[in-house]
Amino acid sequence: MFYKLVLDTPILEMEDSSWVLTLPTIIGRNPEHGVFLDHHSISRTHCKLTVNAHESLLIKDLGSTNGIYFDDNRVDQHQLFPGEKFQIGALTFHIEYESDTDHGKPAYKPKSFELTETAPMATLKKSDLPEPTRMTMEKVPEKKWWEFWK
C-alpha cells in the first residue's frame, strides 16, 4: 500500500502540492530528505513518517521548532488516517491512499538551496498592535497563531 501526502495550505512559491511517499521518509527543509518543504515554518529535519507492525502510518516529530499538530494540539507522535487533517509547522496536510501506478513519481529537488534558521511561530497580542489596529481587531474574530502564517 502506498500513501500520498497532500498540502491543503495554498503556497504559491512551492513547486509541489502532493508527494507519493516512500516509507520511511523524513520531511523537512533539507532537499536531501524524502519530502522537501521550502517554507520558513518548517525545520531542516522536521518529522518522520513510518509504518508500524500493523501497517499503520505514523508521524513523529524529530525535535522541530514549530512541531506537528492534530486538533490544535501539539503532539510528538500520532497515527495518521487517510483524510485526517494535520499541521506540520504552519502548513496543513492530509494523507490519501495512492495507487500502485502513481508510485515512484520523483519528488521535486531544487538545484540550489539555502538552509537558514527556522522562524519560530509567534502569537500576536492586541497590546502589541497600534491603537487603531486594536480597535479594528475587536470587531474581527481572533485568529489562531498559525493562521497569521497563511
Side-chain angles (χ1 to χ4, degrees):
M1 176 180 305
F2 299 108
Y3 295 98
K4 182 191 284 188
L5 177 68
V6 180
L7 177 66
D8 294 331
T9 308
I11 305 288
L12 297 176
E13 300 84 33
M14 292 188 69
E15 189 76 21
D16 287 333
S17 62
S18 68
W19 299 264
V20 176
L21 302 172
T22 302
L23 300 173
T25 194
I26 294 178
I27 298 172
R29 217 168 8 94
N30 185 339
E32 301 299 317
H33 293 325
V35 177
F36 168 63
L37 297 175
D38 190 14
H39 190 268
H40 51 277
S41 73
I42 305 298
S43 294
R44 291 180 193 106
T45 301
H46 201 100
C47 58
K48 184 175 186 176
L49 291 168
T50 59
V51 175
N52 67 12
H54 304 289
E55 295 295 314
S56 297
L57 185 62
L58 299 175
I59 187 168
K60 181 177 181 175
D61 192 322
L62 297 175
S64 66
T65 301
N66 295 316
I68 53 177
Y69 290 82
F70 292 87
D71 297 326
D72 297 338
N73 296 310
R74 187 170 180 161
V75 296
D76 291 327
Q77 183 171 301
H78 188 80
Q79 184 173 346
L80 294 173
F81 297 96
E84 180 179 32
K85 299 228 183 233
F86 59 97
Q87 271 183 238
I88 301 174
L91 305 179
T92 305
F93 296 87
H94 72 273
I95 293 289
E96 295 178 355
Y97 288 122
E98 187 59 33
S99 72
D100 295 348
T101 58
D102 289 335
H103 185 69
K105 174 185 160 192
Y108 168 74
K109 300 283 185 193
K111 293 179 180 155
S112 66
F113 59 92
E114 180 182 331
L115 293 177
T116 57
E117 292 296 316
T118 303
M121 296 186 283
T123 303
L124 292 177
K125 298 175 190 155
K126 288 183 186 177
S127 61
D128 295 337
L129 301 171
E131 186 62 39
T133 306
R134 273 187 267 164
M135 289 172 25
T136 305
M137 281 188 69
E138 289 173 9
K139 298 175 187 169
V140 178
E142 295 265 346
K143 287 186 172 185
K144 300 213 187 283
W145 58 267
W146 60 83
E147 294 175 327
F148 288 100
W149 289 65
K150 294 180 182 177

